[in-house]
Amino acid sequence: MLFSSITFLYWFLPLVVAVYYLVPRPGGSLLWRNLWLFLASIFFYAWGEPLYVLVMLAQTVVGWLSGLLIEHWRGKPIAKLILLISLIAELSSLLFFKYTDFFISNLNRLFNSELALLALALPLGISFYTFQILSYSIDLYKGKVQVQKNLLVFLTYVTLFAQLVAGPIVRYALVEQQLTSRQHSLQTFADGIRRFSIGLAKKVLIANTLGQLVSLARFNLHEGGEQSLLFALLFLSAYTLQIYYDFSGYSDMAIGLGLLFGFHLPENFDHPLVAKSLTDFWRRWHMTMSYWFRDYVYIPLGGNRVSPARHLLNIFLVWMVTGFWHGAGWNFILWGLFMAAVLILEKYLLAKALERLPVLVSHLYLLVVVMLSWVLFESATLGQAQQLLLTLLGMGSSGLAGSSSIYYLLSYLPLMLLATFGSTTLPVRAVAWLEKRAGLLGQRLRAGLEPAFIALLLVVATAFMVDGSFNPFIYFRF
Amino acid sequence: MGKTVMDKKTDNSNTAGADRLLQLRNKLNLGAFILIIGALFLLNLLAPKPAVLVSERRPPAELPKPSLSSIWNTDFMTDFEKYAADNFSFREPLRTLRAVTLLDVLRLSDKDGLYRGAAGAGRIQALDADAVLDWARLMEQLQADLAAQTDGLSFYYAIIPDKSIYDNRDLPGYDAAELARLLDDRLPGVTAIDLTNALVATDYYRTDLHWDQAQLGQRSADVLDVLAEALGCQERLSKDYTILEAGSFTGVYPGQLAISMPPDQLRYLTSPALEQITALYLNPQSGQFVSGPIYDLQAASGRDGYDLFLRGAQPVVILENPLSETDRDLYIFRDSYSSSLAPLLAPAYRRVILIDLRYIDYRVLPEYVSFTANADVLFLYGSQILNDPDILLIQAKEPTKAPDILLNSTNALVARKASRRVKQAS
């Protein structure tokens, strides 16, 4: 089920919220509320993939059982073995469903064989919930979290529909306490409403609308339409904004929904498009994933406390895995390696130069790097990526510009400018500045205007959901 | 310097005021959420569902019945999503709100490919080169088949340009030059008739994709002239028409755009020669032809006013001209554009036979239509069909199942689209 669907917003959500707050809390226990959240989450997941509910539950139970065993044999070598088995089991599931066909097709290519592909559909959110379970097992082994003996609580953690299918990747350590003793208040609930409404608007008003331009441009560039420099630039600019609004909008909705039920989920984005370097960008974009790879892959490999050569290797390895996590394709691996190369360049060569650059130039540098990376990221084949690069160099069949690209540039320019403005820190700073300068008057204004703004966003977003059929979530395929 | 007692009191008072405002804001946020989500939840649950979505000219999706298999393969969920969106309370105003937001607030030039221009509304639809070539192959197959069975047939084809190319903006989408390049030499036994320069923006309805019959025979070198000249029947045609009105007509675009537009005027042409023409309509149920007028004035006030012309969707229509000076017949393989055009050509022939392969399978056509020697055969299609030739029921030569006359070709279309996808994938 998509957050940005009528079924979710006007059927599922009101029912789940209403019943959640009607469920009793005997002695302050969250048992029944957690049970309701778990059942609702299973329904939410099964709405899209009934069969794969079993996969998710199996992985969750394996994670929970291995936790019990690790705790039981704590301090003994067998605990490490249990952890290893648990990691292998969890990663095997991810590898099997996500990467088997990639390996088979490469084997076929390498040995000229004809092994049949499995053609399995990817279980929704498997990359995300697998990482959550792994974080629990590893942190438990390291003694950073307490063992969770209550299966229902653990199931609630893994399956919570707010973050189940596309993150943020919530580490167990962060919500360990919240699972059994979270606070519910008007303040939290109202914050959740605001955050969810903004995320919904980002998704359906901006990301989906820009997505139509991206689709049109992609069709032209890859399917023999107008292959011009202008269309390629338009495509990459629109894609940058679309993927940002799509994914950060989803994260906002997830965080907002978490707040409705008393959960404080981690932030996932911090205005990444105003970063001044790629290093800075990755501190702001999909932060829960970046930190997960840092803490569970990069640091265990030795991080930067190794020889320079090994350090370089570590960076390449981590980014290759990061790329591969995004998708089973060589383009994603190359995308990861491209990221690693630029990050290394920045670390060893460009860091000081970037600091000295005027802010606008460093922003521009970051945007060029990010947009170039999308060439690899979004292309279905390496041939497509090559063609897009040639088009960017003005060597496409339509030269610099054509009538279609000019039409769509003029058509989408206001929206792209609005989306660019919204991706900066200016709106947030403007609200904060007004509140501070205007004092009580500013707060009065906000008390009146914010609910009206939220109502407006909800109504307009509903209009887009009722009428629109274009509603993909880019990160669902990861 | 430390704060005075008065300062501290003021600070405390400000803090208390800010807290109260924060509480008020929280309550109002909650109220807005409950008002919109809660109220619409209840309305959707309790309000009666619409019988028809008037502006979209279709019934809303029905509440699907759950079954184990439909839940297992998620068909139930997909159908429920459609049901929820189709039957949503205030659907029509909400659709308009989206259109206004996109077109007037965000200033997009089109909404989902639908635009408003000086010449009315239209749809931007790029030509799908593969589909166009598929269409050409189908026409080539038809031509070869008909030529093998009947002597002396003369074949022609003409594409009706999409109205978007006559808008004064340089809209993307339909590209007449690209189409000509694609079709060049693809139909060697068929004479091409270029209609691009025979039309102007005002030849089309402002609210619809179709052309206005009253405009077709008004100028020199218009569509009627160009076609008649190519077919060699110009001398047998008189353009001495009288224009009659059949009320107002709102085409498909305002509904699709969800924005109201002033309606068009539904007009039709008559003349002494046209008054002699009678139409025979193939009844799909009985398989018999039924006689009727060429203009159905009752249909003009129905759901689609364009059905005024030859009763709209018809598998086969035969126009008979009892005063014909020739024994020559014209066969038109056609879509809806021909409904308003064909009557104007009828005085120049003994019979004009209109065949819409969206509604009758080509394999059963010989049961209802016989081709006469030395006739003209015209393939006359709008760009919509060129982009979706799978809709035409021209099957492989060895039928795998009994062919049929279809007024609802959905199943056949689905099957053909599936086979097309397989073909593309392979």
Side-chain angles (χ1 to χ4, degrees), chain B residues 296-344:
Chain B
D296 183 350
L297 294 175
Q298 275 193 329
S301 54
R303 187 186 292 182
D304 185 355
Y306 190 73
D307 287 352
L308 162 74
F309 305 103
L310 299 182
R311 296 183 178 176
Q314 297 289 333
V316 178
V317 182
I318 300 174
L319 302 178
E320 292 186 327
N321 177 13
L323 304 180
S324 174
E325 299 164 3
T326 174
D327 59 356
R328 205 169 174 87
D329 290 341
L330 169 66
Y331 296 83
I332 306 179
F333 288 88
R334 58 102 176 201
D335 56 20
S336 52
Y337 287 90
S338 292
S339 297
S340 53
L341 174 79
L344 307 185

Side-chain angles (χ1 to χ4, degrees), chain A residues 7 47 187 407 411 450 467, chain B residues 26 29 81 95 109-110 112:
Chain A
T7 312
W47 189 261
Q187 177 69 54
Y407 171 85
S411 178
E450 186 180 287
D467 192 38
Chain B
N26 289 338
N29 281 349
E81 302 269 2
R95 289 185 67 234
S109 302
D110 62 83
D112 308 326

Side-chain angles (χ1 to χ4, degrees), chain B residues 225-332:
Chain B
D225 285 338
V226 172
L227 280 172
E229 186 181 353
L231 294 167
C233 65
Q234 205 166 16
E235 288 174 6
R236 303 197 295 273
L237 275 182
S238 160
K239 289 169 72 175
D240 185 19
Y241 300 118
T242 304
I243 299 176
L244 298 178
E245 296 198 345
S248 61
F249 164 57
T250 301
V252 292
Y253 289 136
Q256 290 177 7
L257 267 167
I259 285 183
S260 66
M261 293 174 64
D264 285 296
Q265 199 60 36
L266 197 57
R267 303 177 301 171
Y268 61 101
L269 299 175
T270 187
S271 69
L274 275 176
E275 283 168 9
Q276 299 303 315
I277 306 294
T278 56
L280 296 171
Y281 298 92
L282 176 61
N283 183 324
Q285 276 75 43
S286 67
Q288 303 294 312
F289 281 93
V290 181
S291 177
I294 55 175
Y295 300 124
D296 183 350
L297 294 175
Q298 275 193 329
S301 54
R303 187 186 292 182
D304 185 355
Y306 190 73
D307 287 352
L308 162 74
F309 305 103
L310 299 182
R311 296 183 178 176
Q314 297 289 333
V316 178
V317 182
I318 300 174
L319 302 178
E320 292 186 327
N321 177 13
L323 304 180
S324 174
E325 299 164 3
T326 174
D327 59 356
R328 205 169 174 87
D329 290 341
L330 169 66
Y331 296 83
I332 306 179

